[in-house]
C-alpha cells in the first residue's frame, strides 16, 4: 500500500512515539474506503509545513488523505489513552484515528499528522472507526477559525469523502479528516500510563513529553512538577482565550485536553450568540458540566487528574507528593484569575490595573444576559463611535454602565485610539455562528459545498470589519437558533 511519490515536498516523517513501550500504541493501517474524493484541502497550511502535493492529481490526493495509499515513510499507529468522560474513568485510545507519522519541517518543528475516521483499531470498542462528513467539516472550519482568532488549536489539513455511508441515527455520508497537532499527548495519556502501575512507563512518557514539547524542563529539580506548571500556564491561557471569544468546547473530558495546550477534538462545540454563562450545546451535557462559565473549573479538575497521574514522579515520599501537587492545583485559581482579568481589561479597552475593572466586565455581561444581547456584536460595538445612539443601547442601565466605563477609561493614560485598537484586536468582528455552520454542513451533506466554502472564506480575517461578510454577522433569528449539537460524530 506504500507509495513513493518522489516529491521533494512529501511528508518528512519520523516515528519517535514508537520509541515508547508498545503498550502506548498499536500498529494498525487505515482501512481503505470505497471512493475517496477530495472535499477541501488547506493550501496555506500545506505551504507552512513545507508540503506540496500539486504533482499529484486530485484523485491521488484523495487517496493519500483517506489512507487508501500511504506516502513513503508513513508508519501508522493508533495511540492508547484513558480519560475521565463526564467524570467517569475509562480506558480508551484512538478508536477511529491513525497517526501516520510526525512530520518534521525544515525549521525543525514537529507535527503529528493524523487521519480521523480512517477505520477501526484495537481501541474501537463498539465503534465503527468511521466519521461522518458533517462533523469532520465542523472540525475543519472551527479549528481553522480558532487559528485565525489567535487561539492555540490543532489544525485541519484536508477532508475527504469516502463514498461510503456511516450509520448514526440515520445513514450519513462518511469522511476522513487529516489533523495536524503539536502532539496528541493528552492528560488521558498520562492517566493511561499511571493505570499501568509501572513507574518506568510513566517516567518514559514524562521524558518523551518533555523532550518533545519543552526540553529545557528536563534540567529542573522536578521535571514532573515543571510539566504540571507548564500545563497550568498553557491551559489557563487556552481557557481565557475561549472565554474571550465566547467559545464552548462541549466535551472537556480529560482525553480531550492535550499537554501542548491546543484546543482539540471539536465535537458539539460552538460560539455562543446571546450571552449566557450557563450555555451548553452538547445534547448529552444535561447537568451543564461543560457550560461556558464552568470551563475554568473543569480545566482545574482535569489538571488535578494529571497531577494525580504524576504523583509517583513528583517526590520519593508519597505524602510529600500529594502536598506539593495540591499546592499546584490550588495555585491554578490565582494564575487563571490574573490572565482572565487581563483579558477582560483588553475587551473593554482598559490600560493599567484598577480595582473596578472586573466588576465593570461582570456588570456588562449581566446586562447582556438580562437583555439577551449578542456576545460578539456587543463587545465589538464598544469600539464604535456614537454607540449610545444605536437602538440596542437605548437603555438606562446600559447608559449608567457606559458612564462608569468612560470614567474608567479616563484613567487609561493612553490615547483613545490605542484603547480602540486594543478592543479591535481582542473582540472579533466575526465568528462562525452555529446556525451558519449547521446550514453549511447540511448543504455539504447534500453535495452543495458553496455555503461551506463561503463560510470558510469569511472566517480568515476575523478581527477585520468586512461588509462582504455582513450576512454572517447577524445573530440567528429565533427559528434559526441551534440549541443543541449532537454527539453523533
Ligand atoms: P471523543 O468523544 O470524540 O473524544 O471520543 C471518545 C473516544 O471514543 C475516543 O477513544 C474515540 O476514538 C472513540 N470513538 C469515537 N467515535 C468512534 C467511532 N465511530 N468508532 C470508534 N471509536 C470511536
Ligand atoms: Mg477525543
Amino acid at each position: 500500500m506504500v507509495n513513493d511519490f518522489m516529491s521533494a515536498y512529501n511528508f518528512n516523517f519520523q516515528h519517535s512515539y514508537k520509541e515508547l513501550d508498545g503498550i502506548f500504541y498499536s500498529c494498525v493501517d487505515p482501512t481503505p474506503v470505497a471512493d475517496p474524493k477530495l472535499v477541501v484541502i488547506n493550501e496555506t497550511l500545506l505551504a507552512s509545513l513545507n508540503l506540496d502535493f500539486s504533482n499529484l492529481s486530485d484523485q491521488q490526493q484523495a487517496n493519500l488523505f483517506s489512507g487508501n495509499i500511504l506516502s513513503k515513510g508513513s508508519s501508522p499507529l493508533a495511540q492508547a489513552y484513558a480519560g475521565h468522560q463526564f467524570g467517569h474513568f475509562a480506558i480508551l485510545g484512538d478508536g477511529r484515528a491513525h497517526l501516520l507519522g510526525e512530520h518534521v519541517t525544515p525549521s525543525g518543528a514537529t507535527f503529528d499528522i493524523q487521519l480521523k475516521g480512517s477505520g477501526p483499531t484495537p481501541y474501537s470498542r463498539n465503534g465503527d472507526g468511521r466519521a461522518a462528513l458533517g462533523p469532520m467539516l465542523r472540525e475543519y472550519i472551527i479549528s481553522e477559525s480558532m487559528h485565525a482568532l489567535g487561539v492555540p488549536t490543532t489544525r485541519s489539513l484536508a477532508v475527504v469523502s469516502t463514498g461510503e455511508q456511516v450509520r448514526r441515527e440515520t445513514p450519513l455520508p462518511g469522511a476522513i479528516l487529516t489533523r495536524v497537532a503539536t502532539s496528541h499527548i493528552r492528560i488521558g495519556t498520562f492517566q493511561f500510563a499511571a493505570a499501568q502501575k509501572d513507574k518506568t512507563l510513566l517516567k518514559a512518557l514524562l521524558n518523551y513529553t518533555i523532550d518533545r514539547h519543552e526540553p529545557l524542563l528536563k534540567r529542573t529539580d522536578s521535571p514532573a512538577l515543571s510539566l504540571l506548571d507548564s500545563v497550568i500556564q498553557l491551559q489557563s491561557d487556552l481557557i481565557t482565550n475561549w472565554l474571550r471569544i465566547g467559545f464552548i468546547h462541549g466535551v472537556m473530558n480529560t482525553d480531550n485536553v492535550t499537554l501542548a495546550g491546543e484546543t482539540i477534538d471539536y465535537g458539539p462545540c460552538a460560539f455562543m450568540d446571546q450571552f449566557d454563562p450557563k450555555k451548553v450545546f452538547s445534547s448529552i451535557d444535561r447537568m451543564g458540566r461543560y457550560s461556558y462559565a464552568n470551563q475554568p473549573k473543569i480545566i482545574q479538575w482535569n489538571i488535578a487528574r494529571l497531577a494525580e497521574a504524576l504523583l509517583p514522579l513528583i517526590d520519593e515520599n508519597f505524602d510529600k507528593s500529594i502536598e506539593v501537587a495540591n499546592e499546584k492545583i490550588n495555585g491554578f485559581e490565582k494564575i487563571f484569575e490574573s490572565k482572565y482579568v487581563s483579558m477582560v481589561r483588553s475587551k473593554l479597552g482598559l490600560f493599567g490595573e484598577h480595582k473596578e475593572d472586573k466588576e465593570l466586565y461582570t456588570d456588562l455581561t449581566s446586562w447582556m444576559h438580562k437583555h439577551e444581547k449578542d456576545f460578539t456584536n456587543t463587545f465589538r460595538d464598544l469600539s464604535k463611535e456614537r454607540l449610545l445612539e444605536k437602538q440596542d443601547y437605548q437603555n438606562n442601565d446600559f447608559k449608567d454602565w457606559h458612564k462608569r466605563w468612560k470614567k474608567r477609561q479616563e484613567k487609561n493614560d493612553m490615547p483613545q485610539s490605542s484603547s480602540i485598537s486594543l478592543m479591535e484586536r481582542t473582540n472579533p468582528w466575526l465568528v462562525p455562528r452555529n446556525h451558519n455552520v449547521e446550514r453549511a454542513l447540511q448543504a455539504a451533506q447534500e453535495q452543495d459545498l458553496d455555503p461551506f466554502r463561503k463560510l470558510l472564506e469569511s472566517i480568515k480575517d476575523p478581527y477585520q470589519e468586512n461588509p462582504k461578510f455582513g450576512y454572517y454577522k447577524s445573530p440567528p433569528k429565533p427559528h434559526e437558533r441551534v440549541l443543541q449539537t449532537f454527539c453523533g460524530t
Side-chain angles (χ1 to χ4, degrees):
M1 205 159 61
V2 175
N3 259 41
D4 185 348
F5 294 123
M6 303 296 285
S7 161
Y9 303 104
N10 199 345
F11 291 114
N12 176 28
F13 280 145
Q14 64 172 31
H15 303 282
S16 65
Y17 210 73
K18 289 196 170 168
E19 287 157 27
L20 285 171
D21 189 279
I23 198 156
F24 285 106
Y25 58 88
S26 295
C27 292
V28 53
D29 278 353
T31 305
V33 294
D35 185 18
K37 290 273 172 292
L38 207 53
V39 178
V40 56
I41 186 155
N42 194 336
E43 299 291 351
T44 324
L45 181 57
L46 277 174
S48 75
L49 293 170
N50 197 48
L51 292 168
D52 179 1
F53 296 111
S54 57
N55 60 326
L56 304 185
S57 67
D58 275 8
Q59 188 55 58
Q60 284 173 314
Q61 292 185 32
N63 290 341
L64 178 66
F65 291 112
S66 62
N68 271 21
I69 55 171
L70 296 173
S71 75
K72 190 176 167 222
S74 301
S75 185
L77 62 82
Q79 294 179 332
Y81 50 85
H84 273 90
Q85 301 189 300
F86 289 87
H88 302 284
F89 185 77
I91 296 287
L92 305 162
D94 291 329
R96 53 166 173 174
H98 294 80
L99 177 69
L100 298 180
E102 303 136 23
H103 172 66
V104 187
T105 67
S107 65
T110 307
F111 296 96
D112 276 6
I113 307 290
Q114 190 202 59
L115 300 181
K116 180 171 174 182
S118 40
T121 76
Y123 314 113
S124 297
R125 296 174 293 165
N126 296 321
D128 59 1
R130 293 299 183 194
L133 177 64
M136 294 306 99
L137 287 178
R138 171 182 281 275
E139 173 152 346
Y140 189 104
I141 198 152
I142 308 281
S143 64
E144 288 308 299
S145 290
M146 294 292 264
H147 175 72
L149 286 159
V151 182
T153 178
T154 61
R155 304 284 306 274
S156 296
L157 197 57
V159 173
V160 169
S161 60
T162 59
E164 295 175 2
Q165 295 218 308
V166 293
R167 276 190 215 192
R168 297 297 181 255
E169 271 131 54
T170 52
L172 296 169
I176 294 168
L177 171 89
T178 305
R179 176 155 78 182
V180 180
T182 295
S183 91
H184 282 85
I185 303 165
R186 307 149 191 263
I187 289 184
T189 318
F190 276 88
Q191 292 181 288
F192 176 84
Q196 309 308 314
K197 308 250 177 266
D198 177 344
K199 202 169 154 183
T200 10
L201 289 176
L202 191 59
K203 179 90 180 137
L205 180 64
L206 175 73
N207 288 343
Y208 177 80
T209 307
I210 289 180
D211 277 343
R212 181 126 183 219
H213 295 173
E214 289 180 87
L216 291 179
L217 297 188
K218 227 174 183 169
R219 296 206 207 126
T220 60
D221 290 343
S222 169
L225 265 190
S226 305
L227 184 71
L228 190 59
D229 277 331
S230 145
V231 172
I232 289 174
Q233 291 292 339
L234 291 170
Q235 288 295 334
S236 42
D237 277 333
L238 184 63
I239 305 299
T240 303
N241 266 306
W242 290 359
L243 299 184
R244 171 173 66 83
I245 56 173
F247 180 75
I248 299 162
H249 181 282
V251 206
M252 286 174 72
N253 295 333
T254 56
D255 51 305
N256 290 339
V257 177
T258 69
L259 281 272
E262 291 172 343
T263 314
I264 192 169
D265 267 359
Y266 292 86
C269 60
F271 292 84
M272 68 179 167
D273 298 298
Q274 288 176 0
F275 179 77
D276 176 1
K278 294 209 167 84
K279 184 75 191 158
V280 289
F281 286 98
S282 167
S283 59
I284 57 172
D285 191 0
R286 293 197 188 88
M287 309 292 282
R289 180 180 173 92
Y290 299 143
S291 64
Y292 172 78
N294 220 25
Q295 297 181 116
K297 274 209 184 79
I298 287 293
I299 204 67
Q300 185 183 23
W301 191 89
N302 287 345
I303 295 170
R305 304 289 76 76
L306 174 65
E308 254 165 33
L310 289 171
L311 282 176
L313 304 179
I314 291 179
D315 199 286
E316 291 294 327
N317 177 325
F318 202 67
D319 291 338
K320 177 82 181 151
S321 280
I322 294 181
E323 190 191 319
V324 183
N326 267 333
E327 253 169 52
K328 293 284 173 200
I329 301 302
N330 295 333
F332 170 87
E333 277 155 39
K334 208 168 154 201
I335 292 168
F336 175 77
E337 179 72 6
S338 141
K339 291 180 196 287
Y340 178 77
V341 177
S342 155
M343 178 276 283
V344 308
R345 283 195 181 104
S346 302
K347 280 185 88 64
L348 295 175
L350 304 178
F351 294 100
E353 297 179 6
H354 291 273
K355 62 178 184 330
E356 66 268 34
D357 297 351
K358 190 174 167 191
E359 197 177 321
L360 260 179
Y361 185 82
T362 314
D363 289 350
L364 176 62
T365 51
S366 302
W367 176 82
M368 287 164 59
H369 189 199
K370 185 169 160 202
H371 294 272
E372 303 188 334
K373 297 293 181 194
D374 186 80
F375 181 76
T376 304
N377 290 352
T378 305
F379 275 106
R380 188 68 184 200
D381 281 348
L382 295 182
S383 42
K384 283 213 173 106
E385 279 173 29
R386 298 208 285 271
L387 171 68
L388 290 176
E389 290 170 22
K390 279 191 78 175
Q391 176 77 32
D392 270 341
Y393 305 106
Q394 299 295 321
N395 171 286
N396 285 337
D397 285 349
F398 184 80
K399 286 179 185 164
D400 288 345
W401 179 86
H402 190 267
K403 265 189 216 137
R404 287 165 54 209
W405 178 50
K406 283 288 151 196
K407 212 160 155 206
R408 166 60 182 89
Q409 282 205 322
E410 284 165 17
K411 300 183 196 167
N412 266 348
D413 242 0
M414 292 284 266
Q416 181 61 3
S417 58
S418 305
S419 171
I420 288 176
S421 80
L422 175 62
M423 285 189 279
E424 289 181 345
R425 289 195 307 274
T426 311
N427 300 320
W429 183 75
L430 195 70
V431 293
R433 292 176 186 274
N434 214 10
H435 66 293
N436 292 325
V437 173
E438 287 293 330
R439 200 176 281 159
L441 302 188
Q442 190 59 41
Q445 262 184 53
E446 291 153 18
Q447 315 251 325
D448 175 11
L449 279 169
D450 258 15
F452 176 79
R453 291 194 200 292
K454 282 188 190 136
L455 189 61
L456 194 57
E457 194 54 38
S458 77
I459 52 96
K460 292 210 163 127
D461 199 0
Y463 296 94
Q464 184 59 47
E465 185 163 344
N466 186 345
K468 195 170 135 195
F469 301 123
Y471 166 79
Y472 293 120
K473 201 172 160 51
S474 310
K477 306 208 167 56
H479 71 277
E480 293 174 318
R481 275 185 205 149
V482 181
L483 300 177
Q484 287 185 334
T485 308
F486 290 90
C487 261
T489 57

